[in-house]
């Protein structure tokens, strides 16, 4: 485990280039198990979670070559693909649960551990299971292991999701591409990453229409070939750096973004008084010379304000004039960062899934603990915008979702010291030698 020491209170300046979206790459990697030929994925960010997924695919029997520098992953199914996903890899990264349907289709049966809960609350997979059952998969669970089996090809079905779950939409869509007949997913998740997965599958020969809307239609095909796919940029990384720049009253240009994916966060930043200069549809510059004013934020499935930016925007709102209200409608308990912000002096009251924030002049530097990936990002922002020395412990969570975070912070002038020790998270190793972070080291 480790920590970072942040000497905050300095405006950040410079420019950063945003890489591929973690939450697009992960389901695409899982779905690549269904492709009969080599798959090449480009614009892949160098992240711990991608490491975990590629390690899983190798353990399952795939040949995986990841050129981290060029951001290119090549995957080819070797000989036999295992039907069992190892606990230590699946239990710590929920996205790997989506190998269940592909492994079942390859072997007729598969066993995947139930993904563990995490600090953003209880995360069931009932919608995944119900959807796969509608396609003809037989599902059972014993001792925390989900077993799926299927005697013949899945049959197309009309599936309604009680909640527009991103993972369940992606899992069902992946399972349906080789089914007999037509599958309709109603109340599907509309996230750009769902659409990117559909575009990937169609590039490999699938027949999917409507991804990105609430109704997705999949006509089953006989097989999926291989090919090359370039992943969309990471809207959550882009949004995080936008909030970070605003919070430090800096001036940063972000390149290789897709502004159409950031409509809600941009609208809210403008409400707060942040200057958002949309240079073109791929570049955005953030500056700030005004006082922030509080606002209300309703966290919703896409295209609403994204839950993965909720902790970060709360850090900014803690110093916005007046009262802000943040309602979290996606996860039941995504407020673990609130106690840590309170340690820095934030005035936040929780009423169920609503946070009421009384903006104060400035937070005060203090030692805090990161409980998960996005809480870590929020505390990093809180430390950068606060004068004095803030220590963020368990900062390694941040490497799950922010590639080159060390280099990027340096590039925009953040005064941060990394104090890490060799650690093993989710079966993945990284370490710091002479203050250099080495993944897989
Ligand atoms: C994806 O998680 C993302 N992860 C999450 O990003 C993101 O926060 C989330 O979607 C919502 O946008 C990846 O894509 C790898 P959900 P996922 O299924 O698919 C409930 C990050 O920081 N639910 O849309 O797990 C669930 O409990 C991560 O990058 C069920 O009840 O999210 C939650 O309350 C964090 N039953 C809500 O739906 C189910 O079967 C949304 O979950 C599935 C979900």
């Amino acid at each position: 485990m480790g920590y970072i020491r942040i000497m905050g209170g300095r405006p950040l300046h410079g420019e950063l280039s945003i890489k591929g979206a973690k939450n697009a790459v992960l389901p695409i990697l899982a779905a690549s198990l269904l492709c009969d030929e080599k798959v090449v994925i480009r614009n892949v960010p160098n992240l711990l979670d991608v490491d975990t997924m590629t390690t899983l695919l190798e353990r399952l029997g795939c040949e995986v070559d990841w050129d981290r520098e060029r951001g290119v992953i090549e995957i080819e199914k070797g000989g036999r693909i295992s039907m069992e996903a190892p606990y230590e890899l699946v239990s710590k990264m929920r996205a790997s649960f989506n190998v269940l349907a592909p492994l079942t289709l390859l072997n007729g049966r598969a066993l995947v551990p139930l993904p563990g809960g995490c600090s953003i609350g209880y995360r069931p997979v009932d919608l995944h299971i119900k959807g796969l059952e509608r396609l003809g998969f037989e599902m059972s669970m014993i001792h925390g292991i989900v077993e799926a089996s299927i005697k013949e090809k899945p049959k197309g079905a009309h599936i309604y999701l009680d909640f527009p779950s991103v993972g369940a939409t992606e899992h069902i869509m992946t399972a349906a591409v080789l089914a007999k007949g037509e599958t309709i997913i109603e109340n599907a998740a509309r996230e750009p990453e769902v659409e990117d997965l559909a575009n990937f599958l169609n590039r490999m020969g699938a027949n999917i229409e409507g991804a990105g809307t609430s109704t997705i239609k999949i006509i089953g095909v006989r097989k999926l070939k291989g090919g090359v796919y370039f992943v969309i940029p990471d809207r959550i990384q882009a949004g995080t750096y936008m909030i970070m720049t605003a919070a430090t009253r800096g001036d940063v240009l972000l390149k290789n973004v897709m502004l159409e994916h950031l409509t809600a966060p941009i609208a809210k930043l403008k409400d707060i008084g942040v200057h958002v200069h949309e240079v073109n549809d791929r570049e955005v510059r953030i500056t700030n010379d005004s006082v922030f004013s509080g606002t209300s934020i309703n966290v919703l499935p896409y295209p609403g304000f994204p839950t993965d930016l909720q902790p970060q925007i709360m850090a900014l709102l803690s110093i916005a004039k007046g009262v802000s209200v943040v309602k979290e409608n996606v996860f039941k308990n995504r407020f673990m960062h609130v106690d840590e912000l309170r340690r820095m002096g934030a005035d936040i009251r929780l009423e169920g899934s609503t946070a009421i924030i009384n903006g104060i002049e400035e937070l005060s530097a203090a030692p805090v603990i990161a409980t998960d990936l996005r809480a870590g990002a929020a505390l990093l922002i809180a430390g950068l915008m606060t004068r004095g020395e803030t220590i963020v412990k368990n900062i390694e969570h941040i490497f799950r979702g922010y590639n080159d975070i060390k280099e990027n912070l340096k590039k925009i002038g953040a005064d941060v010291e990394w104090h890490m020790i060799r650690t093993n998270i989710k079966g993945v190793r990284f370490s710091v030698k002479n203050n250099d972070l080495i993944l897989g080291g």
Side-chain angles (χ1 to χ4, degrees), residues 357-371:
I357 307 159
N358 261 314
I360 60 172
E361 195 63 30
E362 184 179 18
L363 295 181
S364 57
V368 289
I369 298 178
T371 49

PDB file of all heavy atoms in Angstrom, residues 357-371:
ATOM      1  N   ILE A 357     -24.475  20.119   0.725  1.00  0.00           N
ATOM      2  CA  ILE A 357     -23.129  20.669   0.940  1.00  0.00           C
ATOM      3  C   ILE A 357     -23.210  22.168   1.165  1.00  0.00           C
ATOM      4  O   ILE A 357     -23.736  22.901   0.332  1.00  0.00           O
ATOM      5  CB  ILE A 357     -22.231  20.411  -0.289  1.00  0.00           C
ATOM      6  CG1 ILE A 357     -22.254  18.912  -0.661  1.00  0.00           C
ATOM      7  CG2 ILE A 357     -20.796  20.879  -0.048  1.00  0.00           C
ATOM      8  CD1 ILE A 357     -21.842  18.623  -2.090  1.00  0.00           C
ATOM      9  N   ASN A 358     -22.709  22.599   2.343  1.00  0.00           N
ATOM     10  CA  ASN A 358     -22.614  24.045   2.597  1.00  0.00           C
ATOM     11  C   ASN A 358     -21.230  24.475   2.187  1.00  0.00           C
ATOM     12  O   ASN A 358     -20.247  24.085   2.830  1.00  0.00           O
ATOM     13  CB  ASN A 358     -22.777  24.294   4.119  1.00  0.00           C
ATOM     14  CG  ASN A 358     -24.196  24.716   4.434  1.00  0.00           C
ATOM     15  OD1 ASN A 358     -24.728  25.566   3.735  1.00  0.00           O
ATOM     16  ND2 ASN A 358     -24.775  24.085   5.419  1.00  0.00           N
ATOM     17  N   GLY A 359     -21.080  25.252   1.124  1.00  0.00           N
ATOM     18  CA  GLY A 359     -19.748  25.628   0.647  1.00  0.00           C
ATOM     19  C   GLY A 359     -19.005  26.456   1.687  1.00  0.00           C
ATOM     20  O   GLY A 359     -19.595  27.289   2.357  1.00  0.00           O
ATOM     21  N   ILE A 360     -17.709  26.157   1.854  1.00  0.00           N
ATOM     22  CA  ILE A 360     -16.871  26.959   2.773  1.00  0.00           C
ATOM     23  C   ILE A 360     -15.752  27.621   1.941  1.00  0.00           C
ATOM     24  O   ILE A 360     -15.555  27.275   0.785  1.00  0.00           O
ATOM     25  CB  ILE A 360     -16.252  26.078   3.895  1.00  0.00           C
ATOM     26  CG1 ILE A 360     -15.366  24.975   3.299  1.00  0.00           C
ATOM     27  CG2 ILE A 360     -17.343  25.484   4.774  1.00  0.00           C
ATOM     28  CD1 ILE A 360     -14.583  24.202   4.358  1.00  0.00           C
ATOM     29  N   GLU A 361     -15.052  28.554   2.574  1.00  0.00           N
ATOM     30  CA  GLU A 361     -14.001  29.321   1.898  1.00  0.00           C
ATOM     31  C   GLU A 361     -12.921  28.398   1.313  1.00  0.00           C
ATOM     32  O   GLU A 361     -12.605  28.420   0.138  1.00  0.00           O
ATOM     33  CB  GLU A 361     -13.380  30.272   2.939  1.00  0.00           C
ATOM     34  CG  GLU A 361     -12.522  31.388   2.353  1.00  0.00           C
ATOM     35  CD  GLU A 361     -13.333  32.335   1.461  1.00  0.00           C
ATOM     36  OE1 GLU A 361     -14.545  32.524   1.709  1.00  0.00           O
ATOM     37  OE2 GLU A 361     -12.749  32.807   0.467  1.00  0.00           O
ATOM     38  N   GLU A 362     -12.375  27.565   2.177  1.00  0.00           N
ATOM     39  CA  GLU A 362     -11.287  26.672   1.744  1.00  0.00           C
ATOM     40  C   GLU A 362     -11.250  25.449   2.654  1.00  0.00           C
ATOM     41  O   GLU A 362     -11.537  25.546   3.850  1.00  0.00           O
ATOM     42  CB  GLU A 362      -9.933  27.407   1.832  1.00  0.00           C
ATOM     43  CG  GLU A 362      -8.787  26.554   1.292  1.00  0.00           C
ATOM     44  CD  GLU A 362      -7.421  27.267   1.336  1.00  0.00           C
ATOM     45  OE1 GLU A 362      -7.293  28.259   2.086  1.00  0.00           O
ATOM     46  OE2 GLU A 362      -6.519  26.824   0.609  1.00  0.00           O
ATOM     47  N   LEU A 363     -10.905  24.300   2.105  1.00  0.00           N
ATOM     48  CA  LEU A 363     -10.708  23.107   2.937  1.00  0.00           C
ATOM     49  C   LEU A 363      -9.381  23.272   3.669  1.00  0.00           C
ATOM     50  O   LEU A 363      -8.563  24.135   3.336  1.00  0.00           O
ATOM     51  CB  LEU A 363     -10.676  21.851   2.063  1.00  0.00           C
ATOM     52  CG  LEU A 363     -11.972  21.494   1.324  1.00  0.00           C
ATOM     53  CD1 LEU A 363     -11.787  20.203   0.518  1.00  0.00           C
ATOM     54  CD2 LEU A 363     -13.150  21.335   2.281  1.00  0.00           C
ATOM     55  N   SER A 364      -9.164  22.401   4.683  1.00  0.00           N
ATOM     56  CA  SER A 364      -7.845  22.451   5.339  1.00  0.00           C
ATOM     57  C   SER A 364      -7.134  21.121   5.128  1.00  0.00           C
ATOM     58  O   SER A 364      -7.730  20.048   5.212  1.00  0.00           O
ATOM     59  CB  SER A 364      -8.025  22.713   6.847  1.00  0.00           C
ATOM     60  OG  SER A 364      -8.850  21.705   7.375  1.00  0.00           O
ATOM     61  N   ALA A 365      -5.850  21.217   4.794  1.00  0.00           N
ATOM     62  CA  ALA A 365      -5.061  20.018   4.466  1.00  0.00           C
ATOM     63  C   ALA A 365      -5.089  19.047   5.643  1.00  0.00           C
ATOM     64  O   ALA A 365      -5.042  19.443   6.805  1.00  0.00           O
ATOM     65  CB  ALA A 365      -3.627  20.439   4.164  1.00  0.00           C
ATOM     66  N   ALA A 366      -5.207  17.754   5.336  1.00  0.00           N
ATOM     67  CA  ALA A 366      -5.269  16.732   6.404  1.00  0.00           C
ATOM     68  C   ALA A 366      -4.929  15.373   5.799  1.00  0.00           C
ATOM     69  O   ALA A 366      -4.999  15.191   4.584  1.00  0.00           O
ATOM     70  CB  ALA A 366      -6.676  16.694   6.987  1.00  0.00           C
ATOM     71  N   PRO A 367      -4.577  14.388   6.641  1.00  0.00           N
ATOM     72  CA  PRO A 367      -4.369  13.036   6.113  1.00  0.00           C
ATOM     73  C   PRO A 367      -5.723  12.377   5.866  1.00  0.00           C
ATOM     74  O   PRO A 367      -6.607  12.428   6.725  1.00  0.00           O
ATOM     75  CB  PRO A 367      -3.614  12.328   7.244  1.00  0.00           C
ATOM     76  CG  PRO A 367      -3.882  13.116   8.464  1.00  0.00           C
ATOM     77  CD  PRO A 367      -4.262  14.492   8.057  1.00  0.00           C
ATOM     78  N   VAL A 368      -5.943  11.804   4.682  1.00  0.00           N
ATOM     79  CA  VAL A 368      -7.220  11.148   4.350  1.00  0.00           C
ATOM     80  C   VAL A 368      -6.930   9.794   3.704  1.00  0.00           C
ATOM     81  O   VAL A 368      -5.786   9.498   3.338  1.00  0.00           O
ATOM     82  CB  VAL A 368      -8.072  12.026   3.404  1.00  0.00           C
ATOM     83  CG1 VAL A 368      -8.613  13.244   4.141  1.00  0.00           C
ATOM     84  CG2 VAL A 368      -7.267  12.438   2.175  1.00  0.00           C
ATOM     85  N   ILE A 369      -7.979   8.992   3.573  1.00  0.00           N
ATOM     86  CA  ILE A 369      -7.805   7.633   3.031  1.00  0.00           C
ATOM     87  C   ILE A 369      -8.710   7.428   1.821  1.00  0.00           C
ATOM     88  O   ILE A 369      -9.928   7.682   1.907  1.00  0.00           O
ATOM     89  CB  ILE A 369      -8.151   6.580   4.118  1.00  0.00           C
ATOM     90  CG1 ILE A 369      -7.203   6.726   5.318  1.00  0.00           C
ATOM     91  CG2 ILE A 369      -8.074   5.159   3.541  1.00  0.00           C
ATOM     92  CD1 ILE A 369      -7.482   5.771   6.454  1.00  0.00           C
ATOM     93  N   ALA A 370      -8.145   6.935   0.733  1.00  0.00           N
ATOM     94  CA  ALA A 370      -8.940   6.640  -0.472  1.00  0.00           C
ATOM     95  C   ALA A 370      -9.590   5.259  -0.289  1.00  0.00           C
ATOM     96  O   ALA A 370      -8.911   4.285   0.031  1.00  0.00           O
ATOM     97  CB  ALA A 370      -8.046   6.643  -1.698  1.00  0.00           C
ATOM     98  N   THR A 371     -10.910   5.182  -0.489  1.00  0.00           N
ATOM     99  CA  THR A 371     -11.614   3.904  -0.294  1.00  0.00           C
ATOM    100  C   THR A 371     -11.843   3.180  -1.617  1.00  0.00           C
ATOM    101  O   THR A 371     -12.091   1.993  -1.653  1.00  0.00           O
ATOM    102  CB  THR A 371     -12.997   4.173   0.341  1.00  0.00           C
ATOM    103  OG1 THR A 371     -13.634   5.221  -0.410  1.00  0.00           O
ATOM    104  CG2 THR A 371     -12.852   4.603   1.798  1.00  0.00           C
TER     105      THR A 371
END
